[in-house]
Amino acid sequence: MKLVIINIKQLLNVRKETRILRGKELAELPVLENAYLVIEDGVISEYGLMQDLSINMKSTSIVDAEGQFVLPTWCDSHTHLVFAASRENEFVDKIKGLSYQEIAAKGGGILNSAKAVQEASEESLFNSAFIRLNELIQLGTGAIEIKSGYGLTVEAELKMLRVIKRIKERSPIPVRSTFLAAHTYPAEFIHDHQGYLDLIIHEMLPVIAIENLADYIDVFCEEGFFNPEETMAVCRAGMKYGLKAKIHANQFSGGAVTVGTNVNAISVDHLETIDEKEIEILAASNTIGTLLPTAAFFLRMPFQPARKLIDAGCAIALASDYNPGSSPSGNMNLVASMSCIQMKMLPEEVINAATINAAYAMGLGETTGSITVGKTANLIFTKPIPSLAYLTYAFGNNLIDKVMIRGNFINE
Ligand code: NIG
Ligand code: FE
């Protein structure tokens, strides 16, 4: 099936070929004004200016995008989409004055989510996550990474990963799976860290490898959670099975970026507390720094120093961190606006960071994240808007008219 989209006011992020963008490159967003786009069998096959359109329209469907901006769908490279229950009681506790760490120390936080996941059936976890996934697609997310990490027993971690595998098989958008058993120590291993590390390394990883349940391995490298040595041990064990590292780093304290770059992590995520020294280390590495502004917002933390990171030459991606504890929203439009408003990123930088760089931050840069011939036609069609900047300026407004996944509009 051939589909031609005509009269596109602006076609955003048009690239002949792609690679990870760093530093100043992030501000360069290639745009075609008054453009057309051709899609064949769900894949982008051609684009150009309307004045150069010379296509035989026979047996071709035409979509008139008069006044609309068309851009690649958001790529959300960090989520905890599979969970059994929301945690608004902790939200209220935080309003009353408790900190994230105090709630965790009381057996709340991640342990609270783990209890609910351990008790939930695979079926119910799949159903609730699949509903969330479809809600996110309507909001313009066209590729997603999903982590385990709310299981924390051999059985429940494998259950979560099998749920993610099912989502992967049934999802219309590409899904990447990350193994995060090293999210926190379960209560029974608080004084026996090695015991839990042994479970991860000797009981969970071999099964994950046999059933092909994960693409990445993640660790919450943080004071009170996994220290640098423990993080390194888990990452190295995962890497033996071909799982690249993707680390929760520098959310509350420093050091994890250094660990991440040492294990050649594909990304280090969070970075609320990254300092000048670790910014330099990140800039000199191949690792992508993924900023999660809605988590900082929700936890009332300082926002990530996006300007310093970009000015130092780092490769930056943006993601939602969708999870019940620190970011109960997976809305990438909100992430995009917040990045401009609170982190002083330019709208162009935000679009690049939340599309092409985020695609690379989950190993999907060759198939999604830009308007490039051969890439999947996962696209956002905006409502009529006056300019590119309006997209991130008018925060909280629904500016998406339609979302296309693999060449089909999903909400028609
Ligand atoms: O990315 N920081 C660690 N993990 C999650 C939050 C987990 C939770 O509170 O459930 C995060 O913010
Ligand atoms: Fe997270």
Side-chain angles (χ1 to χ4, degrees):
M1 233 275 290
K2 191 165 168 172
L3 177 67
V4 183
I5 300 153
I6 59 169
N7 295 326
I8 302 167
K9 185 168 172 184
Q10 290 195 17
L11 184 59
L12 307 182
N13 219 350
V14 180
R15 297 176 184 274
K16 273 217 175 78
E17 45 198 37
T18 58
R19 56 182 172 74
I20 299 170
L21 304 172
R22 52 176 61 245
K24 285 194 176 66
E25 293 169 341
L26 277 153
E28 293 160 22
L29 184 75
V31 173
L32 280 187
E33 288 195 30
N34 199 14
Y36 71 89
L37 178 67
V38 185
I39 294 158
E40 284 177 76
D41 299 324
V43 171
I44 297 168
S45 64
E46 193 187 324
Y47 53 78
L49 298 176
M50 278 307 288
Q51 65 202 47
D52 302 327
L53 178 63
S54 63
I55 285 173
N56 178 1
M57 297 293 185
K58 254 199 195 156
S59 70
T60 297
S61 303
I62 296 174
V63 172
D64 191 341
E66 182 79 51
Q68 298 190 299
F69 284 52
V70 174
L71 63 151
T73 43
W74 305 122
C75 296
D76 193 348
S77 61
H78 181 138
T79 82
H80 307 250
L81 189 76
V82 176
F83 55 87
S86 56
R87 293 192 348 229
E88 63 275 20
N89 49 340
E90 293 173 14
F91 167 68
V92 175
D93 279 347
K94 272 186 227 126
I95 292 171
K96 290 179 180 165
L98 291 193
S99 71
Y100 182 87
Q101 289 97 326
E102 283 166 339
I103 289 169
K106 275 199 346 183
I110 297 167
L111 291 177
N112 189 349
S113 283
K115 192 167 175 288
V117 163
Q118 286 160 13
E119 287 165 3
S121 69
E122 199 173 309
E123 197 61 24
S124 73
L125 287 172
F126 171 81
N127 289 338
S128 61
F130 210 70
I131 290 170
R132 282 179 211 120
L133 179 76
N134 282 306
E135 286 166 355
L136 296 185
I137 295 172
Q138 307 269 352
L139 290 168
T141 296
I144 197 166
E145 180 259 15
I146 309 175
K147 301 175 194 295
S148 70
Y150 289 136
L152 307 183
T153 62
V154 176
E155 200 191 356
E157 279 297 312
L158 293 174
K159 175 168 67 179
M160 281 193 82
L161 290 170
R162 288 181 187 126
V163 168
I164 299 170
K165 189 173 185 182
R166 262 173 84 187
I167 297 173
K168 214 184 220 193
E169 286 160 1
R170 312 234 181 125
S171 162
I173 66 170
V175 173
R176 301 288 270 174
S177 171
T178 300
F179 173 49
L180 174 61
H183 202 181
T184 194
Y185 283 100
E188 59 273 36
F189 290 101
I190 287 294
H191 302 294
D192 178 20
H193 285 194
Q194 193 54 47
Y196 189 56
L197 295 173
D198 284 343
L199 275 191
I200 293 176
I201 295 168
H202 303 298
E203 306 283 329
M204 301 185 201
L205 273 170
V207 182
I208 289 165
I210 290 168
E211 292 186 35
N212 192 17
L213 291 176
D215 302 299
Y216 298 106
I217 185 150
D218 197 342
V219 181
F220 189 16
C221 182
E222 185 60 55
E223 272 171 25
F225 292 81
F226 290 76
N227 70 29
E229 293 69 40
E230 293 163 348
T231 302
M232 207 86 97
V234 172
C235 290
R236 293 225 166 97
M239 286 154 69
K240 283 203 184 122
Y241 291 101
L243 308 182
K244 249 192 144 180
K246 206 168 157 52
I247 310 234
H248 277 75
N250 297 51
Q251 184 178 10
F252 303 110
S253 60
V257 166
T258 308
V259 177
T261 53
N262 277 342
V263 294
N264 197 21
I266 185 163
S267 71
V268 285
D269 303 19
H270 271 291
L271 312 186
E272 283 86 333
T273 63
I274 189 169
D275 64 9
E276 310 281 338
K277 199 171 141 249
E278 286 198 285
I279 289 177
E280 263 175 49
I281 290 171
L282 183 60
S285 76
N286 291 322
T287 300
I288 296 173
T290 300
L291 314 183
L292 311 171
T294 48
F297 169 71
F298 188 80
L299 298 180
R300 302 184 187 88
M301 294 276 298
F303 282 87
Q304 292 83 1
R307 280 268 54 91
K308 282 189 184 167
L309 288 155
I310 294 172
D311 295 345
C314 295
I316 293 304
L318 290 164
S320 76
D321 196 16
Y322 192 4
N323 78 78
S326 63
S327 181
S329 164
N331 187 337
M332 285 295 289
N333 306 285
L334 183 61
V335 169
S337 283
M338 212 174 272
S339 302
C340 290
I341 298 164
Q342 295 289 351
M343 302 199 292
K344 296 193 172 166
M345 288 176 72
L346 294 167
E348 292 84 353
E349 291 173 330
V350 163
I351 292 173
N352 277 324
T355 57
I356 188 63
N357 270 15
Y360 278 108
M362 53 178 154
L364 295 173
E366 299 307 317
T367 52
T368 190
S370 64
I371 307 295
T372 301
V373 170
K375 286 199 180 183
T376 312
N378 286 5
L379 307 168
I380 292 172
F381 289 63
T382 69
K383 291 178 181 163
I385 52 171
S387 65
L388 182 153
Y390 191 88
L391 204 56
T392 53
Y393 149 88
F395 79 95
N397 290 288
N398 179 10
L399 301 175
I400 296 180
D401 177 44
K402 291 199 265 314
V403 176
M404 175 179 277
I405 300 296
R406 291 192 274 179
N408 296 309
F409 287 118
I410 49 127
N411 28 13
E412 278 195 337

